[in-house]
Amino acid sequence: MKVTINDVAKRAGVSIKTVSRVMNNEPSVRKDTYDKVMAAINELHYQPNSAARNLASTRSYSIGYIYDNPNAYYIIDMQKGLLDSCKKHGYELLIHPTNAKSPGIVEEVKELVSKSRLAGLILTPPFSEMPHIAEALEDMKVDFVRIVSGSTPSPGVHNCVLIDDFTAAFKITNHLLELGHIDIAFLCGDEEHSSSGERLAGFKAALTKRGLQVNPKFIVPGHYSFESGVEGAKKLMALPKKPSAIFACNDEIAAGALFSARLMNISIPEQLSIAGFENSPFSRQTWPPLTTAHQPNSTIASQAAELLFKHTRPNANKTQIIAQPVFIPELLVRESTCPANSKQG
């Protein structure tokens, strides 16, 4: 028979209302009571019906995740982190892919929130970097959390999970410099994503700190895609003065650059070092495996959901300033980079 909230209350020796308060993460519940109820929930494998709770209550038990990102691995990791937190707190997750460049995107988001009775939204780039989306949600008094590139939130920006792309990019570039590379190129991602600008800024800062000038011909505009990496590497390796290393804005671009180099019979890393960013499966599926920066997307998503739930729970203090988690992707050195002195001259 299906386990009910009555069964959980009986096992824990508390009232049904107390079980409900625990499931709703109400702050007034004592820790020993919380532990007893959670133990009963786990022992009985109780799964609350969020759809039924939404219908029976004025409170919503669903959050939304809207995205416009061509990287399937990024989306999968984000969904995993969000689903893990939703399961923990008894929420459902509504996933909504859409086009961020659509002229009606604000109305689309507002309609999604209204029709689906969402308790809140998780916004990833580029939506998290679009002020008119945030303004529309604030006008609707809808809770939301943004995942954004940066080490400190911009003025007026609240409820963020920050990714310090600048520092991580600085470290990757510094790794290439320590290997003796001077002629380092950069393959950009989509310009509407702040991460692309932050990573480029970190790249330039590392060169400048070493007293090196940034060669504008070595900075190639592009997109967060494999094809962009293929075309970018072709342009770079057709230059009279070629780079000895390429830093790509993400692993998918880097994989495309590596593929392009193979087609040109350029040996990796002996003739050309290549580094990516994010530590997606692309970085491990290429040969040689890519030097990259590990960005824990599932953990980042989970932290964003936890931050959102702090505001959606009953009696939440909406004015409370909550510390913004900051993630610095970690350098992972693999076989796609090696010292410059082993390269062609």
Side-chain angles (χ1 to χ4, degrees):
M1 293 178 61
K2 183 175 177 60
V3 176
T4 68
I5 192 171
N6 296 32
D7 299 319
V8 174
K10 186 176 179 181
R11 174 68 68 93
V14 298
S15 67
I16 293 173
K17 185 177 181 180
T18 299
V19 175
S20 179
R21 287 167 57 209
V22 169
M23 290 168 52
N24 292 336
N25 290 300
E26 294 187 17
S28 59
V29 179
R30 296 201 318 265
K31 186 179 185 306
D32 60 334
T33 302
Y34 177 88
D35 291 341
K36 278 197 303 184
V37 173
M38 289 306 299
I41 288 173
N42 292 329
E43 289 167 10
L44 296 172
H45 304 290
Y46 175 60
Q47 294 289 334
N49 187 324
S50 297
R53 283 198 294 167
N54 280 341
L55 290 172
S57 172
T58 57
R59 182 183 171 200
S60 172
Y61 292 90
S62 298
I63 65 169
Y65 168 43
I66 59 173
Y67 66 87
D68 180 7
N69 192 308
N71 187 338
Y73 292 121
Y74 175 84
I75 300 303
I76 291 169
D77 283 346
M78 292 299 298
Q79 289 178 8
K80 181 182 182 303
L82 294 174
L83 286 168
D84 286 346
S85 285
C86 282
K87 184 177 180 181
K88 174 182 172 183
H89 293 277
Y91 276 70
E92 296 290 337
L93 177 66
L94 176 66
I95 298 167
H96 184 75
T98 188
N99 180 6
K101 296 179 180 178
S102 168
I105 186 59
V106 173
E107 291 306 314
E108 181 181 341
V109 172
K110 289 169 66 176
E111 185 177 1
L112 173 72
V113 172
S114 298
K115 285 189 174 181
S116 305
R117 292 188 65 233
L118 297 178
L121 276 176
I122 300 294
L123 301 176
T124 53
F127 297 107
S128 57
E129 298 154 358
M130 298 165 68
H132 48 297
I133 295 286
E135 289 167 6
L137 294 173
E138 286 171 351
D139 289 342
M140 295 177 72
K141 301 190 184 314
V142 175
D143 293 307
F144 61 93
V145 169
R146 293 180 262 207
I147 298 174
V148 296
S149 179
S151 56
T152 55
S154 302
V157 174
H158 61 281
N159 296 344
C160 294
V161 175
L162 300 163
I163 303 172
D164 191 349
D165 291 294
F166 177 93
T167 298
F170 184 97
K171 289 180 178 180
I172 290 175
T173 309
N174 196 55
H175 162 69
L176 294 171
L177 290 167
E178 288 177 346
L179 290 174
H181 295 281
I182 296 175
D183 300 315
I184 308 172
F186 187 88
L187 296 179
C188 301
D190 298 81
E191 62 179 3
E192 63 264 28
H193 286 253
S194 293
S195 58
S196 185
E198 287 290 315
R199 293 170 193 179
L200 176 58
F203 166 77
K204 289 179 176 180
L207 293 178
T208 302
K209 188 173 182 180
R210 292 291 183 107
L212 299 172
Q213 288 190 333
V214 178
N215 184 345
K217 292 182 179 179
F218 280 178
I219 299 175
V220 182
H223 304 282
Y224 281 122
S225 70
F226 182 90
E227 293 75 18
S228 184
V230 172
E231 294 304 313
K234 283 182 182 178
K235 291 177 183 177
L236 288 170
M237 302 317 289
L239 294 172
K241 181 177 177 61
K242 299 172 174 54
S244 66
I246 293 175
F247 175 15
C249 212
N250 77 349
D251 294 328
E252 195 168 354
I253 300 172
L258 192 151
F259 177 77
S260 185
R262 293 288 193 208
L263 293 179
M264 293 182 281
N265 294 316
I266 297 171
S267 180
I268 310 296
E270 292 78 14
Q271 294 176 277
L272 178 68
S273 284
I274 297 177
F277 199 108
E278 286 179 13
N279 192 32
S280 75
F282 275 107
S283 70
R284 302 183 292 277
Q285 292 167 355
T286 61
W287 185 257
L290 291 168
T291 289
T292 186
H294 174 60
Q295 181 171 303
N297 289 322
S298 289
T299 303
I300 290 168
S302 181
Q303 285 287 307
E306 293 294 331
L307 188 58
L308 180 61
F309 293 140
K310 287 181 180 179
H311 287 276
T312 59
R313 69 189 181 191
N315 305 317
N317 182 356
K318 304 280 186 177
T319 62
Q320 180 184 8
I321 298 175
I322 300 174
Q324 316 291 304
V326 181
F327 290 87
I328 302 176
E330 298 178 2
L331 174 66
L332 290 178
V333 178
R334 295 195 179 114
E335 292 88 340
S336 68
T337 55
C338 75
N341 59 18
S342 64
K343 310 281 191 288
Q344 288 185 338

